[in-house]
C-alpha cells in the first residue's frame, strides 16, 4: 500500500516536471506569451504541492465537507478550465476587433497610396476631418 | 457651408463586394448613369471584402473608387470600412447598395430625395411598403416580421424592412457608425442602435430585384443561426446603449 502511493507520487512529480519544462520551452521559443504562462506555472506548482503533501487533499476535503477527495479535484479543475476558456473567448473577441480596425486602416492606406502614385491630390476635406478628429 | 451642403451634397455610394464578379460591373455602370442623369456630386466606393474570384480585377477596370480589404470581414466590417471612408473624407451622405444587383440604381433617387430634403438621418429603402417588385421568400418574410415586432418593442418604431441593405446615412449617422457598427448581420441590429441614438429613421418604398449573380450569405441552414445571432445582437446593443441613452440624445 505504502509503496503504491510512492509510485503515484513519483509519477505525479515527474509529470509536473515534464509539463513545466514544456511550458518553459514554449516561452523560450516565443510560442507562448509570458502572461499566459503564469496560469500554467501556477497549475504545475499546485500539482507539485499535492504530490509532496499527500495528506493535503484529504485534509482539505474533510475541511470542506467533501466525502470523496478526488471529486474535489474534478470540481476545482473543471471550474478552472471553464474560467480559462471564457478568458480565451474574451481575448479572441478583442483580437477580432483589432483585426477589423487594422484591416480598415490598411485598406484606406492602400487606397491613399495608390491615389498618390496616380498623382491624385489628397482631398482637402480629408485633412480637415483628420485634424478635427484629433 | 451648411446651406451649400444641403443644396449640393457630396454623396458616396458604398457597394460591398464579396465574389460578385458577374454583377458588380453592371451595378457600377447603372449608378454612373444615374449620376449623369441627375447631375449629382456622387462617388462610388466599392469595398472588396477579400473576394476569392476575379472581382478585384473587374473592380480595377471600373469607373469608381475602391477599397481592397486585406482580410475578409463580412458585410458589417466591409460596410463600416466604407462608412469610415465617407466620414473621414467629408461626404455629406453615404448610401449602401448591394453589389449583387438587388438594388436598382434608378431607385436611388427615391432614397436620396428625402435625405437631401433633411427628412431623416437614416433613410431605408423598403420592399414592403408598396409591395412591388421582388418580395423575398415566405420564410424570410416571417423573420422580417419578427424583427419588426422586436424593434417596435425596444425602440417603439415600426420598421417594415429591417433587413434592407438599401439605405442612406447623413453625417450625423456616419459619425456614430464611424465608432461602432455591428459585425456580422448588421442591418436589423443597427436600426436598434440608431433608434437609441434618437436618429430619425424614415422608410421609403422601393422596388428590388432578385440578385443578379453570386450566392446569398444566408441559406436555410443558417437561418436559425441568423435569427439567434441577430436577436442576441439586438438585445445586447439595446442593453449597452440604454443606460447611455440620456447622454446620447444631445
Amino acid at each position: 500500500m505504502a509503496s503504491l502511493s510512492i509510485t503515484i507520487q513519483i509519477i505525479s512529480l515527474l509529470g509536473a516536471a515534464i509539463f513545466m519544462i514544456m511550458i518553459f520551452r514554449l516561452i523560450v521559443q516565443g510560442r507562448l506569451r509570458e502572461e499566459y504562462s503564469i496560469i500554467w506555472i501556477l497549475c504545475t506548482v499546485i500539482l507539485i504541492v499535492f504530490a509532496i503533501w499527500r495528506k493535503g487533499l484529504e485534509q482539505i476535503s474533510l475541511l470542506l465537507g467533501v466525502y470523496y477527495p478526488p471529486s474535489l479535484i474534478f470540481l476545482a479543475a473543471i471550474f478552472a478550465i471553464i474560467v480559462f476558456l471564457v478568458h480565451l473567448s474574451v481575448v479572441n473577441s478583442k483580437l477580432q476587433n483589432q483585426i477589423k480596425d487594422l484591416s480598415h486602416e490598411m485598406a484606406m492606406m492602400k487606397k491613399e497610396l495608390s491615389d498618390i502614385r496616380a498623382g491624385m491630390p489628397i482631398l482637402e476635406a480629408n485633412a480637415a476631418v483628420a485634424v478635427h478628429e484629433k | 457651408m451648411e446651406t451649400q451642403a444641403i443644396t449640393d451634397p457630396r454623396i458616396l455610394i458604398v457597394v460591398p463586394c464579396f465574389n460578385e464578379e458577374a454583377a458588380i460591373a453592371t451595378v457600377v455602370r447603372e449608378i454612373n448613369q444615374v449620376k449623369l442623369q441627375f447631375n449629382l456630386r456622387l462617388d462610388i466606393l466599392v469595398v472588396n471584402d477579400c473576394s476569392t474570384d476575379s472581382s478585384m480585377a473587374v473592380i480595377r477596370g471600373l469607373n469608381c473608387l475602391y477599397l481592397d480589404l486585406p482580410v475578409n470581414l463580412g458585410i458589417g466590417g466591409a460596410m463600416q470600412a466604407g462608412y469610415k471612408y465617407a466620414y473621414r473624407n467629408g461626404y455629406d451622405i453615404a448610401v449602401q447598395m448591394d453589389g449583387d444587383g438587388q438594388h436598382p440604381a434608378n431607385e436611388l433617387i427615391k432614397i436620396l430625395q428625402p435625405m437631401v430634403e433633411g427628412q431623416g438621418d437614416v433613410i431605408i429603402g423598403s420592399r414592403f411598403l408598396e409591395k412591388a417588385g421582388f418580395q423575398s421568400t415566405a420564410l424570410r418574410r416571417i423573420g422580417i416580421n419578427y424583427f419588426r415586432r422586436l424593434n417596435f418593442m425596444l425602440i417603439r418604431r415600426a420598421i417594415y424592412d429591417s433587413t434592407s441593405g438599401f439605405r442612406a446615412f447623413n453625417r450625423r449617422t456616419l459619425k456614430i457608425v464611424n465608432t461602432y457598427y455591428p459585425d456580422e448581420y448588421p442591418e436589423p441590429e443597427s436600426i436598434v442602435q440608431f433608434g437609441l441614438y434618437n436618429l430619425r429613421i424614415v422608410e421609403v418604398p422601393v422596388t428590388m430585384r432578385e440578385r443578379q449573380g453570386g450566392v446569398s450569405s444566408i441559406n436555410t441552414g443558417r437561418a436559425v443561426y441568423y435569427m439567434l445571432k441577430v436577436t442576441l445582437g439586438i438585445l445586447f446593443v439595446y442593453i449597452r446603449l440604454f443606460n447611455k441613452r440620456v447622454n446620447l440624445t444631445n
Side-chain angles (χ1 to χ4, degrees), chain B residues 200-236:
Chain B
R200 294 165 300 153
I201 306 169
V202 175
E203 263 189 302
V204 294
V206 296
T207 46
M208 290 192 194
R209 290 186 299 222
E210 222 161 328
R211 54 173 48 252
Q212 306 295 300
V215 194
S216 169
S217 56
I218 300 157
N219 52 40
T220 8
R222 281 166 81 178
V224 175
Y225 168 73
Y226 174 81
M227 299 290 284
L228 260 174
K229 198 270 158 188
V230 174
T231 305
L232 267 181
I234 286 175
L235 291 177
F236 281 111

Side-chain angles (χ1 to χ4, degrees), chain A residues 97 99-108 110-111 114-115 120 123 125-127 129-130 132-133, chain B residues 10 45 65-71 73 77-78 80-81 84-85 87-90 171 178 181 183:
Chain A
N97 261 328
I99 287 174
K100 190 193 75 190
D101 288 342
L102 282 173
S103 310
H104 287 166
E105 292 308 316
M106 211 177 140
M108 295 205 205
K110 265 159 84 178
K111 164 122 201 358
S114 65
D115 284 355
M120 273 168 65
L123 288 168
N126 192 356
V129 169
H132 186 71
E133 294 286 284
Chain B
R10 288 182 62 219
L45 177 78
L65 308 171
Y66 59 82
L67 287 179
D68 185 22
L69 293 176
V71 176
L73 295 181
Q80 199 192 10
K84 274 185 182 171
Y85 184 89
Y87 183 68
R88 291 183 191 185
N89 291 287
R171 265 200 91 67
N178 184 48
Y181 195 63
D183 278 309

Side-chain angles (χ1 to χ4, degrees), chain B residues 167 169 181-182 185-195 201 234:
Chain B
R167 38 176 76 179
F169 296 166
Y181 195 63
Y185 303 110
E187 286 89 3
E189 229 176 297
S190 61
I191 287 178
V192 174
Q193 186 193 2
F194 298 150
I201 306 169
I234 286 175

Side-chain angles (χ1 to χ4, degrees), chain A residues 111 123 125-126 129, chain B residues 5 9-14 41-45 65 82-95 169-172 174-175:
Chain A
K111 164 122 201 358
L123 288 168
N126 192 356
V129 169
Chain B
R10 288 182 62 219
I11 303 160
L12 186 72
I13 312 287
V14 182
R41 274 177 81 194
L42 175 153
D43 292 322
I44 305 167
L45 177 78
L65 308 171
Y83 292 142
K84 274 185 182 171
Y85 184 89
Y87 183 68
R88 291 183 191 185
N89 291 287
Y91 286 93
D92 301 301
I93 297 168
V95 183
F169 296 166
N170 66 3
R171 265 200 91 67
R172 197 174 159 209
L174 283 175
K175 190 177 177 193

Side-chain angles (χ1 to χ4, degrees), chain B residues 6 93 112-121 123 170 200 202:
Chain B
I6 288 166
I93 297 168
L112 282 173
Q113 193 69 42
M115 183 52 97
V116 172
E117 285 168 4
Q119 287 179 19
D121 300 305
I123 312 286
N170 66 3
R200 294 165 300 153
V202 175

